[in-house]
Amino acid sequence: YKMKKYSLLALYLFSGEALVRAIGFFTNAYIARTLNPEVLGFIAVGSSLLTYSLLISDSGLRTLGFLETAKPKSEQFFSFSEIVNVKIMHGSLAFIFLTIFTFILYSTHILRIICIFYLFNIFFDTLFIEWYYNGLQKFKIVACARIISSLFYIISLVLYVKTPTDAAKVPLYFFLSNMCSVVILFIFLPTTPFTYKFAFSLKKYIDIIRQSIPLGIGTFLNMVPIYLPPVLLDKFVNSKQTGVFWVSLKIVSIMMIVDKIFSTIFMSTLPKMWVKNSRNTKQTLQSILNFGIALGFLFSLTICVFSKPIIILIYGEKYLESSQILSILSWFFSFTLINSIF
């Protein structure tokens, strides 16, 4: 019965994540083909800057909230409200800091506008309670919210983004799509025994951050070498090279669906497995590690070998020089998958 339950959970999570990633895949391809590499570079800078802002504002809080929710109620150290309040505070600080950073680092007016539009998504991320539903293993609701959001995004782009001059509309519709997913998750929140109270306690804040930062530092360090180049390339090289790098980065993000599904199911079941039988759990962890190494190597090798035809098929020949970057970035997936297990 338990195996059947976990199989269904995996099916819900995989199907939802796969559909969202598939829509995102076509969305990114449409953006790249509609815009030219130089204008695409502006979008790359804004989205990469947003990624850093989300990592800073989150600081492992999503993972902590996920693990806390997955525990039995009597064993939880932090409440839903306490985690959300800390996320709101961190998100606000991250927005202020990175807005100042944007105006200092970049002088191009259109680039500043795009970056600010993207940074506004921080506030929706603080309220995106995907971690709460995942901790309760209610993957269907999360999947529906993300699918609706993704569909809204790509439909808006197809209807209203036709030429490179429409580049500023891309972050705007991304912002509206994120708003949709947040609203949907709050609509389906259980009324009982769920409660939320906005309050701030310095002691509780410090306790939560002490627990969350070790959980988020690994993800932050993994993302730094990947998303830092788009942020700096536009400043020190040019926007065209930024766009060329970005298309490879988007293909690697598609590969990360395997890592996200794997880690979500694994982390939601690990606390209960450990409580019931820690000895068997250690043996299971070793088997999972071996499987993760083999799977990661196979995926990365395939993308590396076929990088050139993959780039031409998805984005067109104007992004051909991105194939060399993709052959290198493909190995990032292997290391990330192994890191998720550890």
Side-chain angles (χ1 to χ4, degrees):
Y1 172 77
K2 290 184 178 180
M3 288 302 297
K4 182 179 179 180
K5 177 184 177 182
Y6 293 140
S7 298
L8 287 174
L9 291 176
L11 177 62
Y12 293 143
L13 189 60
F14 177 79
S15 58
E17 186 70 20
L19 185 54
V20 169
R21 293 281 183 170
I23 297 172
F25 174 82
F26 289 109
T27 302
N28 291 324
Y30 177 81
I31 293 173
R33 286 180 173 272
T34 302
L35 308 179
N36 56 51
E38 182 178 359
V39 177
L40 183 65
F42 295 153
I43 301 298
V45 173
S47 60
S48 298
L49 198 62
L50 174 63
T51 299
Y52 275 119
S53 67
L54 297 183
L55 290 172
I56 294 172
S57 65
D58 183 70
S59 300
L61 292 168
R62 183 174 298 179
T63 303
L64 177 63
F66 177 33
L67 294 174
E68 287 293 304
T69 307
K71 294 178 182 178
K73 195 73 175 178
S74 59
E75 298 181 15
Q76 294 179 4
F77 293 103
F78 308 112
S79 68
F80 172 90
S81 298
E82 291 168 340
I83 293 175
V84 170
N85 290 337
V86 174
K87 282 181 65 66
I88 291 174
M89 173 171 291
H90 264 227
S92 301
L93 293 175
F95 177 80
I96 294 172
F97 171 77
L98 288 166
T99 297
I100 296 173
F101 175 84
T102 297
F103 278 90
I104 293 175
L105 189 63
Y106 306 116
S107 57
T108 307
H109 179 66
I110 183 63
L111 180 56
R112 285 179 172 179
I113 293 176
I114 290 175
C115 288
I116 298 302
F117 263 130
Y118 271 112
L119 289 176
F120 270 113
N121 286 276
I122 295 175
F123 298 108
F124 283 126
D125 182 75
T126 61
L127 300 175
F128 188 56
I129 52 175
E130 173 193 21
W131 52 269
Y132 179 73
Y133 283 94
N134 286 342
L136 297 176
Q137 298 185 342
K138 294 184 177 181
F139 300 131
K140 288 189 289 186
I141 298 176
V142 175
C144 289
R146 298 187 65 209
I147 290 170
I148 293 173
S149 171
S150 300
L151 287 173
F152 174 86
Y153 185 39
I154 189 172
I155 291 172
S156 299
L157 292 178
V158 172
L159 290 177
Y160 300 109
V161 179
K162 303 290 187 180
T163 67
T165 58
D166 296 324
K169 296 179 182 179
V170 176
L172 172 62
Y173 292 124
F174 182 72
F175 174 84
L176 294 176
S177 67
N178 284 333
M179 181 176 66
C180 289
S181 59
V182 169
V183 170
I184 291 171
L185 290 187
F186 270 92
I187 288 175
F188 287 97
L189 269 176
T191 55
T192 56
F194 173 83
T195 56
Y196 171 73
K197 180 181 179 181
F198 182 79
F200 176 74
S201 167
L202 181 60
K203 180 179 183 303
K204 185 64 68 173
Y205 172 83
I206 295 174
D207 290 341
I208 291 176
I209 291 301
R210 283 177 178 174
Q211 294 292 325
S212 69
I213 288 181
L215 297 174
I217 192 66
T219 301
F220 183 83
L221 293 177
N222 281 336
M223 293 299 182
V224 164
I226 297 298
Y227 286 95
L228 185 60
V231 174
L232 299 180
L233 278 174
D234 188 89
K235 176 65 177 179
F236 298 106
V237 186
N238 56 59
S239 298
K240 180 181 178 181
Q241 293 303 314
T242 306
V244 168
F245 180 87
W246 186 82
V247 297
S248 295
L249 191 63
K250 293 293 102 177
I251 294 178
V252 174
S253 69
I254 294 295
M255 298 169 62
M256 299 308 294
I257 180 177
V258 177
D259 173 70
K260 183 169 184 178
I261 292 172
F262 184 84
S263 60
T264 299
I265 295 176
F266 175 66
M267 292 176 65
S268 65
T269 57
L270 179 61
K272 298 172 184 177
M273 291 172 57
W274 186 270
V275 171
K276 292 181 179 180
N277 194 324
S278 59
R279 181 176 299 179
N280 289 342
T281 301
K282 292 179 181 179
Q283 297 175 353
T284 303
L285 283 174
Q286 184 60 49
S287 300
I288 292 174
L289 176 60
N290 295 335
F291 174 76
I293 293 174
L295 181 64
F297 178 80
L298 178 62
F299 266 62
S300 297
L301 180 63
T302 302
I303 298 297
C304 180
V305 172
F306 297 101
S307 60
K308 185 175 292 186
I310 288 173
I311 290 292
I312 295 176
L313 176 65
I314 300 173
Y315 300 111
E317 293 190 1
K318 61 183 176 181
Y319 294 100
L320 183 59
E321 57 184 303
S322 181
S323 60
Q324 296 179 347
I325 301 174
L326 177 60
S327 63
I328 298 174
L329 290 181
S330 62
W331 295 102
F332 173 74
F333 169 77
S334 298
F335 296 111
T336 302
L337 186 61
I338 295 172
N339 177 71
S340 296
I341 298 173
F342 279 109

